[in-house]
Amino acid sequence: MASPTAVAAATASAAKRAVGKLAPQTSTFLLCDIQERFRPLIHHGETVVRTAQFMTSVAKALEIPVVVTQQYTKVFGPTVSECFADPSDLEKQQPIFEKKLFSMMTPEVRAHLSSSSDAMGSSDQRRTSFVLFGIEAHVCVQQTCLDLLEEGMDVHVIVDGVSSQRRLDRDVALRRMERAGAYLTTAQSAAFMLLGSAEHPNFKEVSKLVVNDMKEPNEFHD
């Protein structure tokens, strides 16, 4: 029988996990299939691209790894270069994982995440929080989210960085993911949670990204 101390520790750990806090050292960003062929077809697609650029810029400032996938590149084309503020960052993003599986959680991505996690060393510093954005919400994003939740990971879905060709598909997918246990959040909310404090050494850099993001149109605010 577990001791009262062990039970209390387990309860505290579960409570901490349940609120879904983000920290740079335990987070990974997932950029799902934002590809050229989809770009003109996606509901509020330009906002999705701008949000992706904001998120990858935050990741760069806070040294958070970004995993990028492309669905059947031969048909749907490459990742939209504007997903990165500096297009050369996309070129440096190696590897970009090709897939036909709808979920991002292909064997290759799993192996990459596992090797990255092993390199972290201490188990309490492993990357167990995933910040997810991309397309389409009701297919690849949703299946990625459910796979990660099934494995006990925290998933934070960036609602202004996720969409589908049809608004209804997006709306239903967001509800589906939230009910399954995902945390729905916005790009700016995630960025400030990752900072945690105005005393963070990269606060000014991220704050500048937020100010610039505020100047851009966000169709999901309408």
Side-chain angles (χ1 to χ4, degrees):
M1 183 175 180
S3 68
T5 302
V7 171
T11 302
S13 177
K16 181 180 179 181
R17 184 175 184 79
V19 300
K21 288 188 175 181
L22 285 167
Q25 66 271 20
T26 55
S27 298
T28 300
F29 283 13
L30 301 179
L31 192 166
C32 183
D33 305 351
I34 305 179
Q35 294 163 253
E36 288 290 354
R37 180 76 178 271
F38 288 116
R39 187 172 188 172
L41 305 176
I42 296 297
H43 175 65
H44 295 341
E46 292 309 304
T47 293
V48 171
V49 171
R50 284 191 292 270
T51 300
Q53 182 180 119
F54 173 77
M55 295 304 297
T56 57
S57 297
V58 169
K60 185 176 182 179
L62 300 181
E63 299 183 344
I64 298 170
V66 180
V67 174
V68 180
T69 59
Q70 293 177 176
Q71 181 74 18
Y72 202 13
T73 305
K74 182 178 179 181
V75 172
F76 298 114
T79 298
V80 175
S81 61
E82 290 95 325
C83 287
F84 291 80
D86 182 349
S88 68
D89 286 341
L90 177 58
E91 297 171 8
K92 298 171 187 173
Q93 182 70 36
Q94 296 295 332
I96 295 176
F97 293 94
E98 297 261 357
K99 68 185 182 69
K100 291 185 180 178
L101 190 72
F102 294 134
S103 171
M104 292 181 73
M105 301 307 292
T106 65
E108 294 79 11
V109 170
R110 289 179 185 278
H112 174 75
L113 293 173
S114 178
S115 63
S116 298
S117 182
D118 289 344
M120 295 291 291
S122 175
S123 60
D124 61 352
Q125 294 296 304
R126 302 232 172 148
R127 297 190 185 274
T128 56
S129 296
F130 292 86
V131 178
L132 178 59
F133 49 98
I135 58 177
E136 288 189 65
H138 66 299
V139 186
C140 298
V141 172
Q142 179 175 279
Q143 291 189 33
T144 301
C145 176
L146 297 180
D147 280 350
L148 288 165
L149 290 172
E150 196 170 43
E151 295 173 15
M153 303 298 174
D154 286 343
V155 182
H156 300 254
V157 179
I158 305 300
V159 296
D160 45 344
V162 164
S163 196
S164 298
Q165 294 183 57
R166 300 188 301 182
R167 180 175 177 176
L168 177 64
D169 286 327
R170 174 184 183 272
D171 292 346
V172 172
L174 289 174
R175 291 200 299 269
R176 171 80 169 87
M177 290 185 282
E178 184 175 38
R179 288 175 181 172
Y183 301 102
L184 301 190
T185 189
T186 64
Q188 288 193 22
S189 177
F192 281 113
M193 184 178 290
L194 286 160
L195 282 172
S197 168
E199 294 181 340
H200 191 287
N202 299 100
F203 172 76
K204 288 185 178 179
E205 184 177 357
V206 174
S207 182
K208 184 178 179 181
L209 292 173
V210 170
V211 169
N212 291 336
D213 183 60
M214 292 287 285
K215 297 176 183 177
E216 297 290 341
N218 187 322
E219 298 157 301
F220 293 119
H221 291 166
D222 297 338

